[in-house]
Amino acid sequence: MQNFEQYCGTGDYIASRALQNDVNVAIALGRPLLIKGEPGTGKTLLASSISEGLETDLLVWTIKSTTKAQDGLYIYDTVQRLNDARFGDHDISDIKHYIKHGKLGQAFTSPKRVVLLIDEIDKADIEFPNDLLTELDEMKFYIPETAETVSARHRPVIIITSNAEKELPDAFLRRCVFHYIQFPDAAFMNDIVKVHFPNLEEKIMKEAVEAFFSLRELDNLRKKPSTSELIDWIKVLVASGTRPKDIGRELPFLGALLKNEQDYHQVANGETDTRSIRRPSFLR
Amino acid sequence: MFTQFFYTLKAYKVPVSLTEWLAMLQAMEKGFAGNNLLSFYYLARSLLVKSENFYDQYDLAFREFFTGLEVPEELFDELLKWLSEETLKRHRDSVDLSSLPQHDWETLKKMFEDKLKEQKERHNGGANWIGTGGTSPYGHSGVHPGGIRVGGESNNLSAVKIATARKFRQYRKDVTLDVRQMKVAMKKLRHLRRSGNLLELDIDESIDQTCRNAGEIELVYHPERKNDVKMLLLMDAGGSMLPYAQMVNRLFSAANSVNHFKKFRYYYFHNCIYDHLNAGMEYGERVSTAQLLKNLNSSYKVVIVGDASMAPYELFMENGIIDYYDRNETAGIVWLERIANHFRNVVWLNPNPPRYWQHPTVSAIANLFPMYQLSLEGLESAMVELTRKAH
């Protein structure tokens, strides 16, 4: 049996037990791992942590609203070839020169196993995941222009992230290993902060994490602050030399935490003492 | 051996397919679940459940299937003495879970009591007696997959604890409905059409033109595809809708911020639609309903939100309007009929669950428009209805 516990988090990325488990299941079964979760919970960072943990390269395929499945496989640059044909200064008889591999193609042809991140798959058209079904299943694709089949020399570890903007098709989901990154609880959050700020004063951390969670408890916020925003905030707090006791009371540099204008004004103009935020009077 | 678990999941409406189930068995065969229930909990979840919306149902099913069954009080103290001490050394690697006999609860309880009568001493390890470690179905910290737990902070059973905590309750699809989810549902409404600036290279046309040009390259561009859907949202702001104000607000902001509609119009009404519609939630600026029907063509997708329950005269009678100073020459039901006839796709979203739809005005309105509950599932079905081509 191959070694199952291949990934167990890295120095700068703490993965929960469930996440480690699911990453290892995906690696062992050679299936793509689909990651969902609140924004800012480290979905994208996970892939680089895995590539670091497995000591291999990371390829990132960032999906946009205009991305098509074909882009990830290969592009046949017809316009270039047409152009070259016109001026006659290149050898145009070999179509291979005009076939350019996309990220998935590169991952398949790589001489060693790589980690491929397909970032924000839900940004693309609704049909996008369906167009990749066989390619992800069999890890190969066919190029009709050159009558070639590109198959993976080593099954890449594929990490797919989604923000749930669009529902993904069932057939696609069936082929994936799924993990929902849960928002960390206070204890886990402390561990995460420690990883980012190993020398952080205990008092600052306690105050900041406490203030952060009480902000998250406000249920009328439009966008709750996330882990990455907390990290940014602590960075500012440290850089500015804010005294620990002022953190919870004054909520300095609130803009690093709250990115929605209305949220910002609501908290900034309301009572700024986070301890009083817990009082229902604030929630009127 | 876990086949029953598959059906338990099904019973809790987790959409598990056979392929996924087989993948999980394959993974277990390879030993990915370790010999521990917590790993199994995560493994099965990652392979069988593909949306956080179903995590809660998964937890419930898991709890039902794996919960350690209760042990009678008087036996408990006695047993705890045997079980409490001892560093636990589990013989995990040598245990094949699938070879262990499975018993139903009645048999298990019987066997447990018999065993208890026979057993005269403490026992740890092994496959037969009540004790710690081992593979007998009784005791704690053992690895039998469906046995009686007797006290102990078992590693294996912490999976059930996690399942019991039901951390994912708020992700259940039928419970939550926030703006983002509504947007996702509304994104189903789209009809793409090429319009606007010439931005995309039209390869077929370019090749064609180039050939006609005897090889002189001619690039032809065409416009991008854009959504062509127009939307009209009519919302009930009457008193009985107050409890749902927040939900209707969310629906509004979802529709308003899904900026992919070609046109988006919205109006308010009180209880029923009559001669006029309000532009805002309060009284004030208003538009004539007849004028609106004249101005908007039938391709608008119409969503009406309201509880549809009112006094019958408000719907069926002339001058039935609830506002004292207002009068309506045409009965509300007639206006609703006109709307139903004018537009090709109209749906009615009702914040009340269907069990309240027996009310006379509700059923009269449901006869005119396809009615759905204002929940995520209802909204999704409503969007499907709106995209249907009229025959």
Side-chain angles (χ1 to χ4, degrees):
Chain A
M1 193 185 99
Q2 70 208 95
N3 182 19
F4 175 59
E5 309 236 313
Q6 295 196 26
Y7 172 74
C8 33
T10 46
D12 56 356
Y13 188 92
I14 303 185
S16 67
R17 163 101 191 258
L19 181 56
Q20 290 175 26
N21 235 51
D22 292 350
V23 169
N24 287 322
V25 168
I27 296 175
L29 291 180
R31 284 169 182 247
L33 174 63
L34 174 65
I35 299 282
K36 270 168 75 175
E38 265 185 57
T41 40
K43 297 191 289 291
T44 305
L45 287 177
L46 172 69
S48 60
S49 164
I50 294 173
S51 78
E52 196 190 317
L54 300 179
E55 292 172 356
T56 178
D57 294 334
L58 172 69
L59 289 172
V60 182
W61 183 16
T62 309
I63 306 298
K64 299 175 192 148
S65 62
T66 51
T67 307
K68 294 191 177 60
Q70 185 66 34
D71 303 348
L73 307 178
Y74 71 95
I75 292 165
Y76 173 29
D77 196 345
T78 39
V79 177
Q80 182 68 49
R81 187 160 177 245
L82 206 59
N83 210 36
D84 289 353
R86 188 179 176 208
F87 295 106
D89 53 354
H90 282 80
D91 175 21
I92 56 151
S93 59
D94 192 354
I95 294 180
K96 272 185 195 160
H97 292 310
Y98 300 97
I99 301 282
K100 296 191 174 92
H101 283 299
K103 294 290 179 191
L104 203 58
Q106 289 171 25
F108 286 178
T109 49
S110 163
K112 61 173 187 171
R113 181 174 70 170
V114 295
V115 176
L116 172 67
L117 169 67
I118 304 182
D119 206 8
E120 307 196 38
I121 194 166
D122 53 329
K123 288 272 181 295
D125 191 79
I126 275 174
E127 287 305 320
F128 178 84
N130 279 334
D131 296 344
L132 285 176
L133 284 185
T134 27
E135 284 75 9
L136 292 180
D137 234 11
E138 296 168 16
M139 297 276 180
K140 65 177 185 191
F141 60 89
Y142 179 68
I143 305 181
E145 285 87 348
T146 56
E148 262 183 326
T149 301
V150 178
S151 36
R153 297 165 73 175
H154 304 275
R155 271 182 105 87
V157 179
I158 299 183
I159 310 296
I160 300 170
T161 69
S162 165
N163 279 323
E165 279 194 18
K166 293 194 185 88
E167 292 278 338
L168 299 170
D170 286 347
F172 179 78
L173 292 176
R174 272 203 291 279
R175 287 164 171 83
C176 295
V177 176
F178 175 73
H179 183 86
Y180 183 85
I181 298 192
Q182 215 191 338
F183 198 83
D185 57 14
F188 196 55
M189 185 58 86
N190 281 337
D191 292 344
I192 294 174
V193 173
K194 265 182 211 147
V195 161
H196 287 268
F197 305 96
N199 302 321
L200 188 66
E201 237 181 278
E202 192 68 32
K203 261 195 259 164
I204 296 188
M205 180 162 97
K206 192 170 158 289
E207 287 286 334
V209 172
E210 236 169 57
F212 171 77
F213 274 100
S214 57
L215 270 181
R216 275 185 61 88
E217 267 171 33
L218 295 175
D219 45 348
N220 45 358
L221 286 190
R222 270 147 207 263
K223 189 195 166 307
K224 293 186 173 180
S226 66
T227 312
S228 58
E229 278 142 7
L230 173 66
I231 303 291
D232 286 349
W233 191 47
I234 295 180
K235 223 177 267 172
V236 185
L237 291 177
V238 171
S240 68
T242 310
R243 285 175 305 172
K245 60 175 180 172
D246 292 339
I247 294 176
R249 207 170 48 207
E250 292 174 8
L251 290 177
F253 313 108
L254 195 57
L257 282 177
L258 299 177
K259 305 290 172 67
N260 181 292
E261 206 182 318
Q262 273 173 308
D263 291 349
Y264 182 87
H265 288 301
Q266 181 195 338
V267 175
N269 299 338
E271 304 180 56
T272 45
D273 186 350
T274 47
R275 271 152 291 184
S276 66
I277 287 177
R278 293 210 188 88
R279 283 208 302 266
S281 67
F282 184 82
L283 301 171
R284 63 184 169 263
Chain B
M1 68 165 194
F2 281 131
T3 312
Q4 196 50 47
F5 184 47
F6 179 73
Y7 289 104
T8 312
L9 286 171
K10 283 260 182 207
Y12 277 95
K13 300 211 163 83
V14 181
V16 204
S17 71
L18 203 55
T19 21
E20 288 164 311
W21 182 254
L22 291 176
M24 195 211 55
L25 291 183
Q26 186 198 348
M28 285 185 70
E29 202 173 71
K30 288 188 181 169
F32 296 162
N35 283 321
N36 127 4
L37 199 51
L38 187 59
S39 300
F40 172 76
Y41 170 84
Y42 291 133
L43 174 78
R45 193 177 70 180
S46 67
L47 289 172
L48 301 176
V49 189
K50 298 300 164 64
S51 164
E52 70 277 17
N53 296 334
F54 297 108
Y55 273 11
D56 188 48
Q57 281 106 311
Y58 173 81
D59 280 353
L60 288 175
F62 194 90
R63 183 174 67 176
E64 179 182 313
F65 194 78
F66 289 102
T67 297
L69 303 158
E70 296 296 326
V71 172
E73 197 66 35
E74 59 272 26
L75 298 179
F76 197 70
D77 293 342
E78 181 80 356
L79 282 168
L80 276 185
K81 281 184 199 150
W82 297 334
L83 300 173
S84 56
E85 308 144 42
E86 191 66 50
T87 42
L88 303 168
K89 200 171 183 191
R90 288 179 290 280
H91 315 284
R92 289 192 169 157
D93 302 334
S94 59
V95 178
D96 175 17
L97 288 180
S98 57
S99 71
L100 298 174
Q102 288 286 300
H103 313 288
D104 62 45
W105 168 228
E106 284 308 319
T107 341
L108 195 64
K109 200 160 81 176
K110 176 106 187 12
M111 286 166 61
F112 177 71
E113 280 161 3
D114 293 348
K115 197 103 331 183
L116 201 62
K117 280 178 207 148
E118 285 174 50
Q119 187 169 341
K120 300 287 178 252
E121 59 188 54
R122 184 165 105 178
H123 198 101
N124 294 323
N128 198 16
W129 298 103
I130 304 163
T132 55
T135 57
S136 115
Y138 334 101
H140 74 65
S141 305
V143 292
H144 194 285
I148 298 182
R149 176 171 67 108
V150 187
E153 284 293 309
S154 154
N155 283 334
N156 292 344
L157 272 143
S158 56
V160 174
K161 261 189 215 153
I162 289 178
T164 308
R166 296 187 63 189
K167 282 188 184 165
F168 292 94
R169 202 175 196 155
Q170 76 267 32
Y171 296 108
R172 274 183 79 134
K173 211 178 181 181
D174 46 349
V175 177
T176 54
L177 190 57
D178 63 24
V179 177
R180 187 178 191 81
Q181 287 169 314
M182 288 182 176
K183 274 198 226 171
V184 172
M186 278 190 207
K187 281 200 171 177
K188 291 211 173 85
L189 271 191
R190 58 178 199 171
H191 176 245
L192 296 174
R193 231 191 198 171
R194 295 194 181 278
S195 65
N197 295 328
L198 302 171
L199 285 170
E200 277 181 4
L201 179 65
D202 185 340
I203 297 198
D204 290 343
E205 194 58 27
S206 299
I207 292 171
D208 194 47
Q209 289 293 328
T210 304
C211 292
R212 283 172 202 283
N213 234 350
E216 190 73 15
I217 290 175
E218 186 74 41
L219 298 176
V220 181
Y221 292 87
H222 57 188
E224 278 185 308
R225 299 193 302 164
K226 280 185 186 150
N227 197 355
D228 201 33
V229 167
K230 290 170 275 188
M231 161 102 149
L232 172 66
L233 180 62
L234 302 173
M235 291 163 282
D236 185 352
S240 58
M241 286 294 286
L242 265 183
Y244 309 107
Q246 197 184 13
M247 206 162 17
V248 178
N249 258 335
R250 284 176 181 166
L251 180 73
F252 169 73
S253 48
N256 200 17
S257 58
V258 174
N259 44 17
H260 73 172
F261 292 130
K262 193 176 175 192
K263 276 182 183 150
F264 174 57
R265 307 276 285 264
Y266 60 94
Y267 297 98
Y268 296 86
F269 60 90
H270 287 232
N271 287 7
C272 186
I273 297 172
Y274 303 105
D275 307 32
H276 293 94
L277 285 160
N278 295 318
M281 259 176 58
E282 305 303 322
Y283 296 92
E285 193 194 333
R286 51 189 217 166
V287 296
S288 137
T289 312
Q291 195 63 39
L292 196 71
L293 289 182
K294 210 183 258 176
N295 288 346
L296 304 185
N297 67 28
S298 61
S299 67
Y300 267 83
K301 314 267 182 201
V302 185
V303 176
I304 308 176
V305 192
D307 57 4
S309 56
M310 56 197 101
Y313 65 82
E314 287 181 60
L315 182 61
F316 299 112
M317 308 262 290
E318 286 145 33
N319 291 326
I321 195 162
I322 190 165
D323 303 307
Y324 185 76
Y325 295 106
D326 214 342
R327 303 176 64 77
N328 59 303
E329 286 163 19
T330 316
I333 188 86
V334 177
W335 280 115
L336 294 181
E337 271 166 12
R338 286 179 187 165
I339 289 173
N341 292 334
H342 181 78
F343 297 102
R344 266 182 246 145
N345 300 96
V346 189
V347 292
W348 189 290
L349 293 174
N350 194 330
N352 288 326
R355 63 174 181 276
Y356 295 120
W357 296 0
Q358 296 307 317
H359 188 278
T361 60
V362 182
S363 48
I365 289 173
N367 273 338
L368 282 177
F369 310 103
M371 190 177 281
Y372 301 91
Q373 193 190 344
L374 181 51
S375 66
L376 191 53
E377 272 168 310
L379 192 60
E380 276 170 3
S381 325
M383 294 303 133
V384 172
E385 174 66 33
L386 283 183
T387 47
R388 261 197 357 189
K389 294 247 168 26
H391 4 255

